[in-house]
């Protein structure tokens, strides 16, 4: 891209990193101390935006990596945002509801000076949900007055946006429609495999099924299922609702979680954790298209192999940007004190995703680059330009 070494250094260096102590009293009276992080990567295009993760592996490095991914993602879909990320190193399944609330409020006490509707707007990520976002909004509002726009992913009853829950999957479907059209495959009858069955994966399975695709494999952390003839998706949802996992569903052959990554299919959607497709897995992948629902599911080595093998990879910063896009719509609604109906959310989302795909596709065709590199060219170009225009 020829941006020069100095701009390169500027773009990879986070603007601000915060590491805080989060101490709470447990229900049994004991004191427990956790560490919280917030990395704010870049704000040249607007206030910074990024999720809040509650997971034992959260640390400064992970927050840095994911914060920069948010800078590029918001730039690819042209939202007026920069990137941030953070969380608390904790296994929330070990805490009670009340302890989780105290933990969230204490974290806000520690970071409230650096977040805000015009500074940094957190949202949900792994193991955080609309309830956690509601506590965050409430605690921040104690310092600053009523501030729904400080956080997104809130419950619909408390300033959340309609359509947020399925937004990432809906964005993935919008991109899939375009890419399948470009490679000449009809969505009707396309064989789909989904790794991960949480917010992203389950809605992908449902929406693609409703659009005529055939779900031939699915897995979650407990195990996987295969059925070449297609899984009965409504019955699968009923099973998950009752048992909390896809495991044990009778309508398919049981397999290991990872087997889904190498299932015989047309489109593979990794929608669980990062780094699951390395060069060893990539060698075995049988899909023609890998649509990245998760953040960073493919390692750089896997990416290279896919390039050599002619497997089309639609990168996370384009493919899964539907979530942050509807988060942006939530922020806009909060700032204007209005509420959009679901139809409007879906239409605006389709428009944003189609525009981003078109731009990335143009770069890919004209410069003969893979989609990931093309998305980075678009994003880094936009962020670099804003940085220079504002002045260092
Ligand atoms: P989630 O917690 O709702 O679901 C995660 C799913 O992955 C669960 O089904 C879980 O069983 C499964 N899983 C966890 N560990 C696994 C493992 N080791 N192997 C196989 N499966 C495993 O999370 P989510 O919100 O659906 O997010 C999934 C991914 O998508 C994450 O990488 C997240 O950063 C990314 N993402 C989410 C959104 C969003 O709007 N939720 C937006 C963009 C990107």
């Amino acid at each position: 891209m020829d941006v020069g070494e100095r701009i390169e250094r500027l773009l990879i260096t986070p603007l601000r990193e915060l590491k805080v102590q989060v101490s709470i009293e447990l229900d049994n009276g004991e004191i427990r101390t956790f560490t919280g992080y917030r990395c704010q990567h870049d704000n040249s295009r607007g206030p910074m935006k990024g999720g809040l993760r509650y997971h034992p592996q959260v640390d400064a490095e992970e927050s840095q990596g994911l914060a920069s991914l948010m800078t590029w993602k918001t730039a690819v879909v042209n939202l007026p945002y920069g990137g941030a990320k953070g969380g608390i190193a904790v296994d929330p399944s070990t805490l009670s509801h009340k302890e989780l609330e105290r933990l969230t409020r204490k974290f806000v006490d520690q970071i409230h000076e650096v977040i805000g509707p015009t500074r940094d707007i957190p949202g949900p990520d792994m193991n955080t949900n609309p309830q956690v976002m509601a506590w965050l909004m409430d605690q921040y509002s104690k310092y600053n007055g009523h501030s729904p726009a400080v956080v997104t992913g809130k419950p619909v009853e408390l300033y959340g946006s309609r359509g947020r829950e399925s937004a990432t999957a809906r964005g993935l479907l919008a991109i899939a429609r375009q890419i399948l059209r470009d490679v000449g495959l009809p969505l009707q009858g396309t064989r789909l495999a989904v790794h991960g069955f949480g917010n992203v994966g389950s809605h992908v399975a449902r929406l693609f099924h409703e659009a005529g695709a055939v779900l031939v494999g699915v897995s979650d952390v407990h195990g996987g299922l295969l059925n070449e003839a297609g899984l009965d998706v409504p019955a699968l949802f009923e099973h998950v609702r009752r048992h909390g996992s896809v495991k044990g569903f009778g309508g398919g052959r049981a397999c290991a979680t990872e087997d889904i990554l190498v299932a015989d299919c047309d489109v593979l959607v990794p929608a669980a954790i990062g780094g699951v497709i390395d060069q060893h897995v990539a060698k075995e992948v049988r899909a023609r298209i890998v649509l990245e629902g998760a953040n960073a599911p493919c390692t750089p080595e896997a990416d290279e192999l896919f390039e050599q093998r002619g497997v089309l990879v639609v990168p996370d910063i384009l493919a899964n940007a539907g979530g942050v896009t509807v988060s942006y719509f939530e922020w806009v609604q909060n700032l204007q004190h209005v509420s959009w109906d679901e139809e409007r959310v879906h239409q605006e989302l389709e428009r944003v995703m189609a525009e981003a795909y078109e731009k990335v596709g143009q770069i890919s065709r004209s410069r003969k680059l893979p989609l990931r590199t093309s998305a980075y060219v678009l994003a880094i170009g936009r962020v670099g330009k804003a940085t220079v225009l504002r002045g260092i």
Side-chain angles (χ1 to χ4, degrees), residues 313-371:
V313 180
V314 190
D316 45 11
I317 57 171
L318 170 65
N320 72 30
V324 71
T325 301
V326 176
S327 278
Y328 162 67
F329 298 159
E330 182 175 328
W331 179 74
V332 167
Q333 292 169 70
N334 293 160
L335 291 176
Q336 298 180 350
H337 308 282
V338 296
S339 175
W340 297 0
D341 62 30
E342 195 155 348
E343 198 45 42
R344 178 163 179 198
V345 172
H346 294 340
Q347 274 174 12
E348 294 280 335
L349 173 62
E350 297 262 333
R351 183 185 56 75
V352 169
M353 297 306 290
E355 262 179 42
Y357 179 77
E358 181 57 31
K359 285 263 185 251
V360 172
Q362 271 170 13
I363 296 170
S364 171
R365 285 187 297 275
S366 66
R367 297 176 62 168
K368 303 210 171 6
L369 293 171
L371 289 173

Side-chain angles (χ1 to χ4, degrees), residues 53 55 66 70 73 85 124-128 164-169 172 195-202 219-223 244-246 257-258 261 270-274 276 292-297 316 319-324 327:
R53 193 173 269 206
H55 194 275
L66 294 171
M70 287 307 294
K73 191 182 296 185
K85 202 81 169 196
D125 197 79
M126 257 175 172
N127 297 331
T128 56
R164 172 62 185 90
E165 208 190 303
S166 63
T168 305
L172 283 156
H195 179 254
F197 204 74
N199 175 283
V200 179
S202 66
S219 69
D220 62 22
V221 73
H222 304 292
S245 167
V246 300
T257 298
E258 285 67 35
L261 298 169
I273 51 166
V276 290
E292 292 188 335
N295 284 317
D316 45 11
N320 72 30
V324 71
S327 278

Side-chain angles (χ1 to χ4, degrees), residues 113-227:
E113 283 170 3
V114 301
I115 61 171
T118 60
R119 290 166 190 246
D120 176 357
I121 305 127
D125 197 79
M126 257 175 172
N127 297 331
T128 56
N129 56 25
Q131 173 63 78
V132 173
M133 301 303 119
W135 290 326
L136 198 157
M137 176 197 119
D138 185 69
Q139 192 67 10
Y140 180 85
S141 295
K142 287 180 181 166
Y143 290 100
N144 296 282
H146 181 62
S147 315
V150 65
V151 61
T152 60
K154 299 179 291 294
V156 175
E157 302 80 5
L158 196 74
Y159 305 97
S161 178
R162 292 183 180 86
R164 172 62 185 90
E165 208 190 303
S166 63
T168 305
R170 212 167 274 280
L172 283 156
L173 178 62
I175 297 288
R177 281 188 198 281
Q178 310 248 3
I179 202 138
L180 287 169
R181 186 202 56 204
D182 286 355
V183 301
L185 263 181
L187 180 56
Q188 186 74 34
T190 284
R191 294 167 313 141
L192 172 78
V194 183
H195 179 254
F197 204 74
N199 175 283
V200 179
S202 66
H203 285 288
V204 163
R206 180 177 61 82
L207 291 173
F208 277 65
H209 166 74
E210 284 169 9
V214 180
L215 184 68
V216 294
V218 71
S219 69
D220 62 22
V221 73
H222 304 292
L225 293 168
L226 289 165
N227 185 341

Side-chain angles (χ1 to χ4, degrees), residues 1 3 7 10-11 42 44-45 71-72 75 377-392:
M1 290 185 67
V3 290
I7 294 288
L10 188 151
L11 292 178
D42 189 279
S44 57
R45 303 185 73 255
T71 301
W72 314 128
V377 167
L378 177 65
I380 294 170
R382 282 177 170 161
V383 173
K385 188 154 235 165
T387 304
V388 171
L389 283 170
R390 290 179 79 134
I392 308 298

